[in-house]
Amino acid sequence: MVIPSLSLPQDELRRITGALCYEERLLFLLLTLRRPSVEIVYVTSMPVDTAIVDYYLGFLDDPDEARTRLQMISLDDPDTRPLSAALLDRPDLLDRILDRTAGRPGGACLVPFVVSEYEERLAGLLGLPVYGPATSLAHLGSKSGGRMLAEEAGVPTARGFSDLRSLTEVEHAARALAPASKLMVKLNNSYSGLGNAIVIKDDRPLTACPTSFSAADETWTTFAEKIAERGAVIEEFVQGRPLHSPSALAMVTPGGDHGVIATHEQVLGGPNGDVYKGCVFPARPEYRAEVAACAERIAGVLAARGVVGLFGVDFFAVKTDGGYRALLCEVNLRIGGTTHPLGAAMLSTGAVYDPASGTLRCGDRAKHYVATDNCDAESLRGRTPGDVVKLVHDFGLGFDRERRTGNVLHLMGAISRYGKLGFTSIGDSPEEAAELHLRTLDALRRAV
């Protein structure tokens, strides 16, 4: 049972164009219907266009048979509450889900985007285990929790302070970081980099210093309220040049097995260059092994504490005389922006992750990809998902099942209203993936 509820700070989600359509990020899981033993119940706030469902099932050998093992359920309600909260008020839909999930011989589980009290209540009502960390462990996924995990795992971080609960505490910590003058303040719980502020500290109070907030409408007044509500960390701004932002994706099974399943190069943007836009797989070879090793140690600490599920570990890779050093940036105990590109690449190609090389292997071939969540073009506004699927096919940019290369589209529900979608461009080399990605961006933005 897939509940892709965005149970996250709603003020930040409102700043993301087409945020409700991010419930479609986990639709790559429909490709698991290739296995005859799999059944899926996928719940969304608003109906998913049938053309989008048909698109994913089209990757399978027998789409019609797979469709019999899929149930798409919609609340048909664009509520401002998270999907899981709204679902709790729909006993009619809960009964439908129970009818589908009860008594399965192989068992069933709830797969959330993130675990909050709503997902836990749903799981209790449905009698399902949750594939994700318990809310009692949610603090480990905060910015302060990430610094604590890094210390326990022996992973370096930027110089800084955590568990700050007021603007006054942040001010004192900023002074203690002298002589550093460029500082990063991060809310404990934020999404896609939208809870950050970069401050150029001088002798004046923080609120009088030059500050760049990642969220365009943020002020020190609103930011201080969020610090009091959520807590924050402050760190010396990492300024190494060149500076890279790799990320590792890791998992812990219900039995406690843990490991890294991918590394990525994050593509960041926004006013401070810290808002997630997409990713490249795999991370650069110069520091890929170091990033994976640090993430593995953090995964071991999380497993020992009882965490279950997928999670992301973000780093800075800083150039040193001997190569590169990985500094922990944050730990995200939820399904993040690199999960759906990896899932799309693995399930469409049949590739598996090779920990020794840090690459995806499909037989004797390595697979590479470049992914974006942010392809937007005015020319796409008003078009249907079916129109864009056909457009990509007509341009020769679709997925080639024989070569196992090409594009896998996502976020198509945002096309008609916002002219926005995402896609993962898969190739047999970094160059092929990058070239395909650029051609696809150009074709979609020039579409007439």
Side-chain angles (χ1 to χ4, degrees), residues 16-27 42 44-56 72 78 373 375-376 380-389 408-423:
I16 298 175
T17 302
L20 191 63
C21 299
Y22 279 63
E23 291 180 359
E24 298 178 8
R25 266 182 164 181
L26 300 187
L27 283 172
Y42 198 109
T44 55
S45 298
M46 295 296 291
V48 176
D49 191 309
T50 54
I52 298 175
V53 177
D54 290 344
Y55 170 76
Y56 285 103
M72 301 292 297
D373 278 343
C375 172
D376 49 63
L380 298 179
R381 196 184 298 263
R383 300 197 181 212
T384 68
D387 291 338
V388 174
V389 170
V408 181
L409 309 180
H410 68 272
L411 200 65
M412 288 188 280
I415 292 171
S416 182
R417 182 174 178 181
Y418 303 104
K420 175 181 177 179
L421 79 157
F423 56 92

Side-chain angles (χ1 to χ4, degrees), residues 44-81:
T44 55
S45 298
M46 295 296 291
V48 176
D49 191 309
T50 54
I52 298 175
V53 177
D54 290 344
Y55 170 76
Y56 285 103
L57 295 181
F59 283 83
L60 309 180
D61 293 332
D62 192 344
D64 291 335
E65 190 282 328
R67 200 181 309 271
T68 66
R69 293 180 281 112
L70 169 66
Q71 184 169 14
M72 301 292 297
I73 294 179
S74 168
L75 276 65
D76 202 9
D77 180 9
D79 202 306
T80 55
R81 295 180 298 168

Side-chain angles (χ1 to χ4, degrees), residues 147 156-162 173-184 186 233-238 316 325 327-328:
R147 290 184 64 87
T157 61
R159 195 165 64 102
F161 296 91
S162 57
R175 291 174 188 159
L177 287 173
S181 59
K182 191 170 186 180
L183 307 173
M184 172 80 85
K186 300 187 286 189
V233 303
I234 187 169
E235 296 174 344
E236 185 175 1
F237 189 83
V238 180
F316 297 113
R325 182 181 186 223
L327 298 177
L328 178 74

Side-chain angles (χ1 to χ4, degrees), residues 57-179:
L57 295 181
F59 283 83
L60 309 180
D61 293 332
D62 192 344
D64 291 335
E65 190 282 328
R67 200 181 309 271
T68 66
R69 293 180 281 112
L70 169 66
Q71 184 169 14
M72 301 292 297
I73 294 179
S74 168
L75 276 65
D76 202 9
D77 180 9
D79 202 306
T80 55
R81 295 180 298 168
L83 163 65
S84 52
L87 182 56
L88 286 167
D89 292 334
R90 293 292 301 273
D92 56 325
L93 295 183
L94 292 176
D95 286 342
R96 282 180 60 189
I97 294 168
L98 274 169
D99 288 342
R100 188 77 186 225
T101 59
R104 288 294 177 266
C109 71
L110 189 154
V111 179
F113 182 82
V114 62
V115 180
S116 73
E117 61 175 311
Y118 304 125
E119 284 75 19
E120 288 190 330
R121 287 174 58 194
L122 275 174
L125 289 171
L126 297 170
L128 297 177
V130 181
Y131 185 59
T135 54
S136 60
L137 301 171
H139 64 284
L140 298 174
S142 70
K143 303 301 186 293
S144 295
R147 290 184 64 87
M148 179 186 68
L149 289 170
E151 182 177 358
E152 189 170 338
V155 173
T157 61
R159 195 165 64 102
F161 296 91
S162 57
D163 291 318
L164 306 175
R165 293 289 167 178
S166 69
L167 187 57
T168 300
E169 290 185 4
V170 174
E171 181 78 55
H172 290 324
R175 291 174 188 159
L177 287 173

